[in-house]
Amino acid sequence: MNEKISKDTPLERLTPREIVAELDKYIVGQKKAKRAVAVALRNRIRRLKLEPDLREDIAPKNILMIGPTGVGKTEIARRLARLAGSPFLKVEATKYTEVGYVGRDVESMIRDLMAAGFQMVKQEMQESVTVEAEKRAEEVLLDLLLPFTGKKQKGQKPKQGPVVRPVGTFSINPDSGGSPGLIGTAIQVGIPAFFNRKTDNQGEKQDNQGNESAETPETPETEPSANNGGAETDRVQFNATREKFRAMLREGKLDNRTVELMVNQNPQFPTIEMMGANMEDLESSLSGIAGFFGGGGKKKKVVSVQRAREILKAEEAEKLVDRDRVIDEARQRVEETGIIFIDEIDKIAVKGDRGGPDVSREGVQRDILPIVEGATVNTKWGPVNTDHILFIAAGAFNVSKPSDLIPELQGRFPLRVELDSLGKDDFLRILTEPKNALTRQYIGLLSTEDVEIDFSPEAIDRLAALAAEVNSSLENIGARRLHTIMETLLEELSFEAPDISPAKIPITVDYVNEKLADIVTDQDLGRYIL
């Protein structure tokens, strides 16, 4: 299975320096964290080039990120997975409970990762058969719009031979001597039967009443040619009309028409929680029971031609994709390149002054331990091995410390990276440098209302200074403070944009001070708004 990963994968083209450069487009600062994840990702590429014997012994170097909220921990992991094209899952450590308690068990994170990998591979394979799926969907749609009503060609029925039926056996035992007897089978030979087998009993009744038997005369040899000629003419006319409909369909002239489809429907079950039960297995069992009693079949649905094309295209793409191949590829990709980001891991750390084990926290750590160390988890797509899945854990650790985690779990995260708090200079770069900078986002949003806003450099500098000031005086929430400040700054303009368009509004230092100065200076008001 490991040999399936080729050198054409996106991972192969990424060097550590290129990975950091790509992350710099979206995340400001945090060089240490970027270098750590870049090296971890590159090591996975190197491992796949080794011999199978050595490859299996090399375990991923899991990473523990330590830093306050809003400094980019989650964004680094998410961008890394998107960059590598790897199955990625972000989970909160606080949503899991120890085995035996009501809540999600830690193995569900592997099942969720496998589900993400399955959808990723399935979508890729469906995109590769898009052209063929569109052709098939078009043919099905034309059949719905223009069903063929011509007479079917009548061919000459095959001649039937005589009917031979066994009716019993007989034996002849000669009286004389000790010679063996003769055993034979009696048969009945009759004329060919031209009556319908289903109306056999009715034919017998008619024969008993003296009526003619329900024989079907053979079609004369001249009749098929005449019928074939008429059917051929109908077929030619039908094909010509079908091609006209095809042209109209491709031009979009039939999009507003409606057709009746038979669409698949999956049975829906309410979400329930059961102690100690594998909910995925329970769901599969319920689905199987529903299918046995006729649930989850097809239902009629009247939709527009445009919507029908989308439904039929999806159904045809589903048929063209080999599900077993998708499962194999997804499992292999999850096991070799999967990434799980466990956030808020500091919330399950047990403080040393607690005086005893905390079941709700330490128990979760003990359950996470074998998953991170390497285990086999059963999913509905088959067993998944976690030996080479990369785990990235993160936490603020402002109340607890990394040493509060149980020693075994600490040992499973050998790389520790501390992320820096963000200051004014970082906020200034966040507002201007990334491809998805907040200033660009708001410029794009208001441009849809024909309102053009222009941020002056001095205004952006003032916004960065205000964000740093509020973070220092109130709670430090990192770059998320910029979201609250920008929303407060442009709240009135966003509300009035449809009424004042078209317009061009310059965002200057005076505009920023007018909207935010009172809120920043009034600490009590700032606690509620910022």
Side-chain angles (χ1 to χ4, degrees):
M1 181 180 296
N2 295 334
E3 286 73 8
K4 290 182 181 178
I5 292 184
S6 66
K7 295 184 179 180
D8 297 330
T9 57
L11 289 173
E12 179 66 23
R13 299 191 298 268
L14 298 175
T15 65
R17 194 178 303 278
E18 291 172 344
I19 294 172
V20 172
E22 288 295 322
L23 294 176
D24 284 340
K25 295 179 181 179
Y26 300 95
I27 304 159
V28 171
Q30 314 303 351
K31 293 294 183 183
K32 294 180 181 179
K34 291 176 182 176
R35 289 172 66 93
V37 298
V39 171
L41 190 61
R42 186 64 182 180
N43 280 337
R44 311 187 95 182
I45 305 172
R46 294 165 179 159
R47 189 186 73 85
L48 296 175
K49 297 179 180 180
L50 299 176
E51 295 297 327
D53 294 340
L54 182 59
R55 182 191 312 164
E56 294 300 321
D57 294 332
I58 298 178
K61 305 303 184 291
N62 299 320
I63 303 171
L64 177 62
M65 294 184 182
I66 305 169
T69 183
V71 296
K73 300 187 296 294
T74 305
E75 191 65 17
I76 287 176
R78 181 181 290 112
R79 292 290 175 182
L80 181 72
R82 188 176 302 177
L83 185 64
S86 302
F88 174 76
L89 179 70
K90 176 185 179 295
V91 298
E92 305 286 340
T94 53
K95 72 191 297 186
Y96 298 102
T97 63
E98 188 178 2
V99 173
Y101 290 80
V102 176
R104 301 204 71 186
D105 64 287
V106 295
E107 290 188 351
S108 63
M109 70 173 68
I110 306 300
R111 292 192 286 268
D112 293 341
L113 180 66
M114 183 61 193
F118 179 83
Q119 291 299 327
M120 175 187 292
V121 175
K122 180 181 176 182
Q123 184 176 359
E124 291 176 2
M125 291 188 177
Q126 286 182 343
E127 289 175 356
S128 65
V129 296
T130 299
V131 176
E132 181 63 24
E134 288 178 349
K135 291 180 180 178
R136 294 191 179 190
E138 185 180 77
E139 296 299 328
V140 176
L141 197 53
L142 287 172
D143 291 339
L144 294 173
L145 290 169
L146 189 66
F148 181 65
T149 57
K151 295 181 179 179
K152 296 182 179 180
Q153 281 187 301
K154 295 177 66 177
Q156 189 172 1
K157 291 187 177 182
K159 296 182 179 180
Q160 301 187 28
V163 178
V164 181
R165 298 175 180 172
V167 296
T169 61
F170 62 90
S171 61
I172 302 175
N173 295 316
D175 296 334
S176 60
S179 60
L182 299 177
I183 301 177
T185 301
I187 61 174
Q188 177 184 8
V189 180
I191 61 173
F194 298 104
F195 53 84
N196 191 344
R197 299 288 183 186
K198 295 182 180 179
T199 58
D200 210 354
N201 294 333
Q202 296 179 2
E204 291 180 1
K205 291 180 180 179
Q206 291 178 353
D207 291 339
N208 294 335
Q209 295 174 1
N211 297 332
E212 296 181 357
S213 61
E215 294 183 359
T216 303
E218 292 188 27
T219 305
E221 293 184 359
T222 56
E223 185 177 340
S225 60
N227 286 342
N228 287 343
E232 188 65 29
T233 303
D234 293 342
R235 175 62 66 178
V236 171
Q237 295 176 353
F238 172 76
N239 288 337
T241 306
R242 186 181 178 91
E243 291 305 315
K244 292 180 181 179
F245 268 71
R246 189 190 304 276
M248 295 171 64
L249 184 62
R250 293 178 177 177
E251 294 172 2
K253 296 180 180 180
L254 304 177
D255 286 351
N256 294 329
R257 289 198 180 188
T258 58
V259 292
E260 186 178 75
L261 285 180
M262 296 294 291
V263 297
N264 296 321
Q265 59 175 351
N266 296 322
Q268 300 293 328
F269 302 103
T271 302
I272 57 177
E273 295 287 347
M274 294 180 63
M275 183 176 65
N278 187 332
M279 301 311 299
E280 194 169 78
D281 294 341
L282 180 61
E283 180 184 353
S284 299
S285 300
L286 291 175
S287 300
I289 295 173
F292 179 78
F293 288 105
K298 291 179 175 289
K299 68 174 181 179
K300 291 184 179 180
K301 192 174 184 180
V302 178
V303 295
S304 64
V305 169
Q306 185 176 9
R307 174 59 180 157
R309 185 190 286 113
E310 298 174 2
I311 296 174
L312 292 171
K313 180 181 174 181
E315 289 185 353
E316 294 300 326
E318 185 88 22
K319 296 176 184 176
L320 289 169
V321 171
D322 184 2
R323 181 180 174 87
D324 293 335
R325 183 185 168 199
V326 173
I327 292 174
D328 292 340
E329 175 69 20
R331 187 189 302 115
Q332 177 260 341
R333 193 176 297 188
V334 166
E335 291 181 344
E336 299 294 342
T337 66
I339 299 175
I340 293 182
F341 181 76
I342 306 176
D343 203 4
E344 308 294 347
I345 198 169
D346 58 315
K347 303 302 186 295
I348 62 172
V350 181
K351 295 182 64 176
D353 57 355
R354 232 168 240 198
D358 189 334
V359 174
S360 63
R361 300 188 183 203
E362 189 171 335
V364 177
Q365 295 185 57
R366 288 195 301 267
D367 289 345
I368 289 178
L369 180 61
I371 302 297
V372 177
E373 184 177 4
T376 300
V377 178
N378 290 322
T379 71
K380 66 180 180 180
W381 296 280
V384 176
N385 188 277
T386 67
D387 286 343
H388 301 290
I389 294 176
L390 177 64
F391 290 87
I392 302 176
F397 289 100
N398 52 359
V399 177
S400 59
K401 305 182 297 295
S403 58
D404 291 332
L405 296 169
I406 60 177
E408 295 83 0
L409 189 59
Q410 294 182 47
R412 298 298 177 265
F413 291 91
L415 299 183
R416 296 187 182 181
V417 181
E418 187 172 353
L419 284 80
D420 303 322
S421 298
L422 302 178
K424 175 189 172 183
D425 294 339
D426 297 314
F427 289 146
L428 183 60
R429 295 179 59 193
I430 291 173
L431 287 172
T432 55
E433 292 183 8
K435 295 178 65 175
N436 58 344
L438 281 178
T439 51
R440 296 174 183 171
Q441 292 180 22
Y442 280 95
I443 289 173
L445 286 173
L446 290 174
S447 66
T448 61
E449 301 281 3
D450 202 12
V451 174
E452 180 183 352
I453 59 175
D454 181 24
F455 288 90
S456 67
E458 295 79 12
I460 296 177
D461 185 82
R462 178 59 177 160
L463 288 172
L466 289 175
E469 181 182 344
V470 174
N471 269 351
S472 61
S473 59
L474 301 178
E475 191 70 27
N476 185 4
I477 61 173
R480 293 187 177 93
R481 184 68 68 185
L482 291 174
H483 291 270
T484 61
I485 285 183
M486 290 290 291
E487 194 64 32
T488 305
L489 173 70
L490 300 174
E491 179 183 6
E492 183 178 351
L493 183 58
S494 298
F495 183 82
E496 297 177 351
D499 302 324
I500 64 175
S501 63
K504 183 175 181 179
I505 309 295
I507 306 298
T508 62
V509 176
D510 295 336
Y511 187 93
V512 173
N513 290 332
E514 178 187 351
K515 300 296 181 182
L516 298 177
D518 294 339
I519 297 176
V520 174
T521 55
D522 190 342
Q523 296 294 328
D524 293 333
L525 184 59
R527 292 180 187 276
Y528 291 100
I529 298 180
L530 295 180

